[in-house]
Amino acid sequence: MKSQANPSGRGVFYTRDSGGNHEMTPTEYVEWAQREAGKLGVVFSGTSEGITKMIRSGSSQSGDIFLDFGVKGNVLSRDGLNALLAELQRDSNISHVFIPRRDRLARPDNPLDGVKLENVIRGTNTTVVYTNGSYAPIARGSRQQIGDLITSLVDFDKSGEDRRQLAQKILDAQVALAKLGFSTGGRPAFGFRRWLAKLDGTPVRQLAEGERVRMAGHHVVWLPDEQQMKIIRRILEMLETMPAARVAAQLTAEGVPSPDAGRWRTDNGVRHQVRGDWHATTIINIARNPLLIAVVAYGRRSMGDQLRFSPDGPRELTDADFRDDEKPKVIRNPEANYVTGEAKFEPCVEDVERHQNLIDKLNDRAGCQRGKPRSKDRENNPLGCRVFDMACGWPMYRTPHVETYRYKCGCYMQSHGTKCAHNTVDGPTATRFVIDSLRQRIGTPRLREKLQRRLRSLAEQESAEPAWEQELSAKQTELAQLDADLDKVARNLALADGKKQHDAISQIFDELMERRANLEKEVGELEGRSGRTGDLNSEVDVAMSLLETLSEGTSEGPTGIVAREIFDLANARLFLNFQPKQVKRRVLNKIVGGMVTFGSAPPPFEIYGGPTGRRIIKGSATKLAAEPVGCESPTPPEVVSSGGEGESLGNRSRGDRTSIELFSNSLASWTNSLISIAQALAT
């Protein structure tokens, strides 16, 4: 609890801004906080220029200002808010928190959550100051006044209801704009640019990326970009005779930049720059865009946590709109539910009927898999694309089985049983077998000695290479120069004469801030290397002890995503041989042998690399150049039975080299992978 000796000490400012239109701007909010701090005699160092820099740089804390920009109000865990709460606990001199309104603190789905959040702040012996009044601290052990409680509850309930009303207004406005052929928001699709247009569709001027214009009698419309239209027309022509994946590969090989090339994205929490490779989904989405035939379509997806689009108007969320973790999911709507309007330009394709035939062809290619995303859950598929049927050379695909899963021959599945037999293996059993095989190899004394020597050699090489230190020094120098440039640009921005100068300097300032953020991240990564140059013996001992965990683990061994990472890093592959066996009155294909390889060890046969499409595999008229043989073919050469009495899979000779020698020769190529395995086991 803070001391009462200094009731009016330091003041801090917090606001959450979603980037929409409010009564006051963040700059005006800070100016209000400065005036209130002066009246109360509280020290407050925040400035309007400071919050402007924070918005441009994306920072959440700067001195006495805490900011969450572009964050929804029902998200109660945010960088700026969390930093504020931590600062209140750390600094006992903070006596006042200036927040413009309660809806700037939160727009909770449950108003009680907002009341609790406000009471957390007041419980740190801090006064909360709003534009419509202030609320004194709540002393420990005391009860909150009923009037304050009711007022707070009503305000937070209203702020939460505002989100619902806003969702209603946005959906109604977007439907109306779509029917008139105008943009409903967002970045334009590939091949189009944002233009400011009159109500009759007459273009006024092209808008810059991110530019917002509010002008009576005008709306934003998407118009074709002729340069990108040349690429789109070529894509449409290629799709008539080529699959989308091949079109994407050809455009990538030619160096044609993809729609998002050079942009920064965040995937799975990792911010990265898009390289510019084309993908099949990008090609398909471009071809399916109804704007190519001058039709504006709205309602492809329903999303949001308040109200959702439907042809009959905004609707309530149902159980089907939530995932298993209770978070709202995106729903794909059928085409019959789309709201369409006539675009403000002529069709971009010369023959609309030909384009429709192409769409029908794409639908036929997609079949029943259209709109079904690939599963991103690798936990239940540790041996994906790493199990092979030795009779036909095909990979074995994961399929559900009772309460678990198994791997089934891909040739059998794609040919509907006409070109291969029903060869299957239990998934968890195969995973444990590969883990046990890896344990066996790691447990070999001779290999452990080689591995330890190799680890020591790699550690010595890493510690002897100071290249990263030179890179760190260069980037720190560049960062210091950037800070100096930013100071100059900031001064010039304040002295800008006219809107054109201000906009030009602002653009330079934004570019420098983005470069500075990237440099700070790179410097942080390089500085992290400085802690890796410890004692070499201890590093090697730690790596070996972690690998000991794998070699002396439980009978179950690692499972799920850990097992998958181990197999990927060690490049583990399992090759299985099946033969028919009499089981009671039936003849079933059972595993009679196989091989496990690691690292750069070659497979025991040539893995099938031909087409895998179901219609091609089943088609009798098309003869494949690399058509897989049936499982009735004789067992491939050099296949060793794993069940023979007195024989060991690890000691059996397979020609000119034993498996131990083969594994040892590939040690140099995957020793680094074993180090990564040790790190994965440590986490």
Side-chain angles (χ1 to χ4, degrees), residues 634-676:
T635 303
E638 301 180 356
V639 174
V640 183
S641 172
S642 59
E645 184 178 355
E647 293 182 286
S648 171
L649 185 63
N651 297 331
R652 177 61 182 254
S653 175
R654 292 181 177 81
D656 58 343
R657 294 181 296 175
T658 65
S659 60
I660 291 292
E661 292 170 344
L662 185 65
F663 180 80
S664 300
N665 290 339
S666 66
L667 176 63
S669 67
W670 69 288
T671 301
N672 291 334
S673 299
L674 287 178
I675 299 174
S676 300

Side-chain angles (χ1 to χ4, degrees), residues 497-511:
D497 184 14
K499 186 177 184 301
K500 289 186 177 181
Q501 286 189 11
H502 185 277
D503 293 344
I505 299 174
S506 296
Q507 183 177 359
I508 298 175
F509 185 86
D510 293 341
E511 294 174 355

Side-chain angles (χ1 to χ4, degrees), residues 53-94:
K53 291 182 179 180
M54 292 177 64
I55 294 174
R56 289 176 174 170
S57 63
S59 58
S60 58
Q61 179 182 0
S62 178
D64 290 341
I65 300 179
F66 298 83
L67 171 69
D68 284 305
F69 191 81
V71 182
K72 295 181 179 179
N74 65 333
V75 178
L76 301 181
S77 178
R78 331 173 198 125
D79 293 340
L81 180 60
N82 295 339
L84 170 66
L85 298 178
E87 186 72 7
L88 292 176
Q89 295 291 338
R90 186 192 66 82
D91 191 350
S92 60
N93 290 324
I94 299 177

